[in-house]
Amino acid sequence: MLENKLIRDGFLEEISKSGYSKLLDKEIPNEFFEEFQTEIGFNPILLFPINSHINCYGILYERLKLYDKKNWQYDFVLAFNEYEAGGMTDIKSPHLKNSIDKIPENKFQNIIYRKLFLDLIFTYYN
């Protein structure tokens, strides 16, 4: 829903890693999110959880030592951890863009890999 509105309103040019990287550079006004809430008919705050971002990855590689350093997910988690270590306060962070770059484009086409970034965008502006 949010992704579709971002496209319709011209903030997201394409569903790709490049499109999302460009989206992070843009300023999205509060009116956009007010319109979004009106369009869907409820407050969507519960659809975009805070503090749930990639905690499961952290458990897998910090506590259980289940990781493959040759795997793209490992590189993604390290890049995203840089963003988290910076306090997750800047949506335009180069660390966040770097984490996008670590995801293979064919995987990024699956919404589950984009949902993290949609959650971050929503929570950043709200």
Side-chain angles (χ1 to χ4, degrees):
M1 294 180 287
L2 177 59
E3 186 177 62
N4 290 339
K5 179 152 180 64
L6 288 165
I7 291 169
R8 282 193 320 268
D9 288 15
F11 292 102
L12 180 58
E13 298 171 14
E14 63 181 355
I15 297 176
S16 68
K17 293 182 342 181
S18 172
Y20 269 73
S21 288
K22 290 176 186 175
L23 172 62
L24 296 177
D25 286 331
K26 297 180 179 178
E27 289 294 324
I28 304 173
N30 289 338
E31 295 81 25
F32 171 87
F33 294 98
E34 291 168 6
E35 289 172 12
F36 177 61
Q37 181 171 332
T38 300
E39 285 179 18
I40 63 174
F42 63 94
N43 185 339
I45 193 78
L46 294 176
L47 299 177
F48 303 98
I50 299 171
N51 297 327
S52 67
H53 304 300
I54 64 164
N55 189 35
C56 61
Y57 284 105
I59 291 170
L60 288 174
Y61 83 88
E62 289 177 0
R63 293 185 190 163
L64 302 178
K65 306 296 183 206
L66 298 174
Y67 53 84
D68 177 0
K69 290 183 179 182
K70 297 175 187 170
N71 195 307
W72 70 266
Q73 286 104 335
Y74 179 81
D75 293 334
F76 165 76
V77 170
L78 289 181
F80 193 83
N81 279 347
E82 290 292 322
Y83 176 66
E84 285 183 328
M88 297 176 64
T89 57
D90 182 11
I91 201 75
K92 296 170 180 20
S93 168
H95 298 298
L96 189 54
K97 290 180 183 179
N98 186 35
S99 69
I100 289 174
D101 289 340
K102 302 300 182 191
I103 303 170
E105 191 69 55
N106 66 327
K107 296 290 186 188
F108 200 76
Q109 292 305 307
N110 187 332
I111 187 67
I112 197 67
Y113 294 103
R114 301 189 310 270
K115 176 72 166 95
L116 168 67
F117 302 102
L118 292 169
D119 290 352
L120 290 170
I121 289 165
F122 184 86
T123 56
Y124 178 78
Y125 286 104
N126 289 284

